[in-house]
Amino acid sequence: ECRRCGLASEQLVEVATGKTVWTHDVVLGFSQSYGNQSHSESIVDGDILVSFRKLGEKKPHVFRVSGWRLSLDGMKQVWEDEPLVPDENLSIAISDGVAYCIGKHLVRCLDVETGRQLGSITEDQFGGENHMRPRSNAWLTIIGDKLLLSPEGQHGKHGFLLFESDPKSLKRLGGFWTPPHATTTAYNGQPIVYPIVDGRIFMRGGDAIYCYDLRH
């Protein structure tokens, strides 16, 4: 298990004993002074850790997605992508060796082993309306061969877009789906974001926890 130690390092911890095997002095991931909708800003796929590395302290903050090879001896950076500007959070999903990374008005697909750019969804492809483009506390995941995106998770009711997950096409499938449950807000973090089990998605509403069937 590779995990963050405070805000100053990454460490490898032996799960059975809790023993620290090694510590690496590097700051990865993303955090702010208020709750983020998704905390999936660092993911391990095989022996590669994919995460975000912050560039400087000036605003607007800029990050680079980076790949780090993990071993029992330590971690070594093996690639780094072009700069990416966030909008309050950064999120990663990995499927079939592809890392899907979200920034402001952008989804970028990277090869996990090499960091090579395989495809992207840019601002123009999302459309002209703000609620269709990744903004405050956006979130994404891969379900089978589909990419599910919540472009806005902070300022009221959540909505979702569905795309093909093939980095060469990333075609949008259908329109903007707004779940019919009571409106809520994602300020101070979402306690459920968003578990998907057997094709069903769970999410927090303003008055209850809701489950929707994504299989049809």
Side-chain angles (χ1 to χ4, degrees):
E1 178 186 351
C2 184
R3 69 182 185 185
R4 183 172 304 116
C5 175
L7 293 176
S9 64
E10 303 288 325
Q11 65 178 190
L12 182 69
V13 177
E14 191 175 77
V15 175
T17 65
K19 176 185 176 182
T20 298
V21 180
W22 52 253
T23 299
H24 191 87
D25 187 19
V26 62
V27 179
L28 299 175
F30 181 85
S31 64
Q32 295 214 130
S33 58
Y34 46 84
N36 294 327
Q37 187 197 51
S38 171
H39 295 279
S40 58
E41 73 272 10
S42 298
I43 295 182
V44 175
D45 185 46
D47 64 348
I48 299 290
L49 167 68
V50 180
S51 189
F52 293 91
R53 187 177 69 85
K54 190 175 181 180
L55 305 179
E57 295 297 330
K58 292 183 178 180
K59 294 184 178 181
H61 295 311
V62 177
F63 290 75
R64 287 181 183 265
V65 183
S66 58
W68 301 74
R69 193 170 302 279
L70 306 174
S71 72
L72 292 178
D73 299 320
M75 57 188 289
K76 179 181 179 181
Q77 187 172 357
V78 289
W79 58 261
E80 191 160 72
D81 188 41
E82 297 176 0
L84 185 70
V85 177
D87 188 338
E88 297 186 355
N89 83 320
L90 294 163
S91 183
I92 302 171
I94 292 180
S95 178
D96 294 330
V98 179
Y100 299 81
C101 310
I102 194 166
K104 186 174 183 179
H105 301 173
L106 175 69
V107 171
R108 187 178 289 165
C109 304
L110 306 174
D111 181 84
V112 170
E113 279 289 328
T114 66
R116 182 169 62 93
Q117 290 192 22
L118 303 175
S120 63
I121 309 172
T122 61
E123 184 171 359
D124 291 341
Q125 293 169 282
F126 285 111
E129 299 178 87
N130 275 337
H131 71 278
M132 302 284 277
R133 298 175 292 185
R135 298 175 61 225
S136 300
N137 289 320
W139 170 89
L140 81 168
T141 193
I142 303 296
I143 310 172
D145 61 351
K146 303 294 188 294
L147 185 156
L148 182 65
L149 168 69
S150 172
E152 162 68 68
Q154 182 167 311
H155 300 104
K157 182 174 287 190
H158 306 145
F160 295 85
L161 292 168
L162 195 64
F163 293 83
E164 293 180 354
S165 63
D166 184 350
K168 296 179 181 179
S169 63
L170 296 170
K171 178 183 177 182
R172 197 177 84 198
L173 305 171
F176 188 75
W177 173 56
T178 303
H181 59 253
T183 298
T184 185
T185 178
Y187 278 114
N188 296 319
Q190 285 276 15
I192 295 184
V193 188
Y194 297 101
I196 298 175
V197 182
D198 294 332
R200 299 171 178 87
I201 187 169
F202 297 82
M203 61 185 71
R204 179 179 69 106
D207 56 357
I209 303 299
Y210 290 84
C211 176
Y212 294 98
D213 195 335
L214 300 176
R215 297 172 299 175
H216 305 291

